[in-house]
Amino acid sequence: MALPNGPVATSSEAEAVLFDLVDVYDRAYEAAAAEVSLSSAQACVLGRLDERRGMGALAEELGCDASNITQIVVRLEALGLVTREPNPRDRRARLVARTPRGDEVNQRFATAFTFARTAIGRLSPDEQDQLTALLRKALG
Amino acid sequence: MALPNGPVATSSEAEAVLFDLVDVYDRAYEAAAAEVSLSSAQACVLGRLDERRGMGALAEELGCDASNITQIVVRLEALGLVTREPNPRDRRARLVARTPRGDEVNQRFATAFTFARTAIGRLSPDEQDQLTALLRKALG
DNA sequence: CCTGTTACTTGAGTGAATCAAGCATCATTG
DNA sequence: CAATGATGCTTGATTCACTCAAGTAACAGG
């Protein structure tokens, strides 16, 4: 997603800031992924492999088709960042796991994605709590 | 972007909520676009045509290549939602404008994209101001 | 076993995005 | 005023994300 998601016609200021936040966040995420030569989707999947897990679990968590995950994982595998081992308990299934290089790249990505950290860091601890509470309420 | 952008390893709660917000926002945007049979990118471009403007202006504002805009606008044109008139002042340039049908679809999209409105609406006016201030500060 | 479900892959198709080239037009300036 | 270069946009080629429909293998229950 290079194109931003909004604004339609921001009626309130809060809405406009919300849009700004989302836009900047998304771009920062993509830029951080690019720094380690990954797409957003690849970085996302790689980041969810702190423990090995099945393709189906990934698809469900990420809310997309299983075949989409297959492709992304195949690419990550080709890059040497993950492995797909057979699941001994179920030979239909595959267990995806990060390789050491995958760990390293994921770590570098996490370091490069400073946006959320930095943004939150601009707030005092009290303000952070306020923000958390407000966003929770807004999210319903 | 069906896959969410995050979380890497959310250290603070505020970061986690931030990620949640971005994820829900992006999905809501895409869903609203889908309701009027548009992609996010198409809805985005359509939404920026309150006045007619050149391709280059769009590309610059949206931070992407001009050829990307060309493609999206071509599709919107094929759907009868925009026109590309020649610019009388500069015959290299084209002026993109929404058609009446484009206006209508854009309006329906804006109505369908309730997320930001609804989220903000869950806050009192005071809270809205607080949130705006906090996000502004966080954005730096 | 047989049946149905599950887990994943494959294939086809669309769209977004980027890059490199190309074309026409404008704008400068020697 | 003609040559030069910059602009504004399009085309073509490629890659990736995404979805849907089908397919294959393996599990699980009767």
Side-chain angles (χ1 to χ4, degrees), chain A residues 16-140:
Chain A
V17 179
L18 211 57
F19 158 67
D20 243 34
L21 173 76
V22 172
D23 187 27
V24 176
Y25 185 109
D26 284 337
R27 288 182 193 277
Y29 194 92
E30 193 163 10
E35 269 188 49
V36 292
S37 302
L38 294 181
S39 66
S40 304
Q42 290 167 347
C44 171
V45 168
L46 195 63
R48 308 245 172 175
L49 291 173
D50 287 336
E51 311 104 20
R52 72 179 46 179
R53 56 204 308 202
M55 314 280 295
L58 282 169
E60 191 180 359
E61 178 175 342
L62 299 177
C64 71
D65 197 276
S67 63
N68 193 12
I69 298 294
T70 296
Q71 288 184 69
I72 295 170
V73 166
V74 163
R75 284 180 193 124
L76 288 174
E77 196 180 23
L79 294 171
L81 305 182
V82 306
T83 56
R84 277 188 301 175
E85 315 161 4
N87 184 339
R89 300 185 155 282
D90 182 344
R91 286 187 320 218
R92 292 169 298 180
R94 306 277 205 114
L95 288 175
V96 189
R98 278 200 300 253
T99 62
R101 257 190 76 198
D103 284 334
E104 188 226 330
V105 169
N106 186 55
Q107 193 51 53
R108 285 201 289 130
F109 167 72
T111 306
F113 182 61
T114 57
F115 172 74
R117 254 191 322 279
T118 310
I120 299 294
R122 290 201 185 93
L123 304 178
S124 72
D126 260 14
E127 289 172 328
Q128 293 182 23
D129 290 345
Q130 284 172 40
L131 179 62
T132 306
L134 286 171
L135 288 182
R136 282 232 180 83
K137 184 170 180 187
L139 282 170

Side-chain angles (χ1 to χ4, degrees), chain B residues 20-43:
Chain B
D20 242 34
L21 173 76
V22 173
D23 186 28
V24 176
Y25 185 109
D26 283 338
R27 288 181 192 278
Y29 194 92
E30 193 164 8
E35 268 187 52
V36 292
S37 302
L38 294 181
S39 67
S40 303
Q42 290 167 349

Side-chain angles (χ1 to χ4, degrees), chain B residues 1-116:
Chain B
M1 195 232 324
L3 295 203
N5 281 344
V8 192
T10 55
S11 39
S12 78
E13 272 200 79
E15 269 183 58
V17 179
L18 211 56
F19 157 67
D20 242 34
L21 173 76
V22 173
D23 186 28
V24 176
Y25 185 109
D26 283 338
R27 288 181 192 278
Y29 194 92
E30 193 164 8
E35 268 187 52
V36 292
S37 302
L38 294 181
S39 67
S40 303
Q42 290 167 349
C44 172
V45 169
L46 195 63
R48 309 242 171 177
L49 291 173
D50 288 336
E51 310 104 20
R52 72 178 47 178
R53 56 204 304 202
M55 314 280 295
L58 282 170
E60 190 179 359
E61 177 175 342
L62 300 177
C64 71
D65 197 275
S67 63
N68 193 12
I69 297 294
T70 297
Q71 289 184 70
I72 294 169
V73 166
V74 164
R75 285 182 191 122
L76 288 173
E77 195 180 24
L79 294 170
L81 305 183
V82 306
T83 57
R84 278 187 301 173
E85 314 161 7
N87 184 338
R89 301 187 153 281
D90 183 344
R91 284 188 323 219
R92 294 169 297 179
R94 306 276 205 113
L95 288 175
V96 189
R98 278 200 301 254
T99 62
R101 257 191 77 199
D103 284 334
E104 187 226 330
V105 169
N106 186 53
Q107 194 49 55
R108 285 201 290 129
F109 167 73
T111 306
F113 182 61
T114 57
F115 172 74

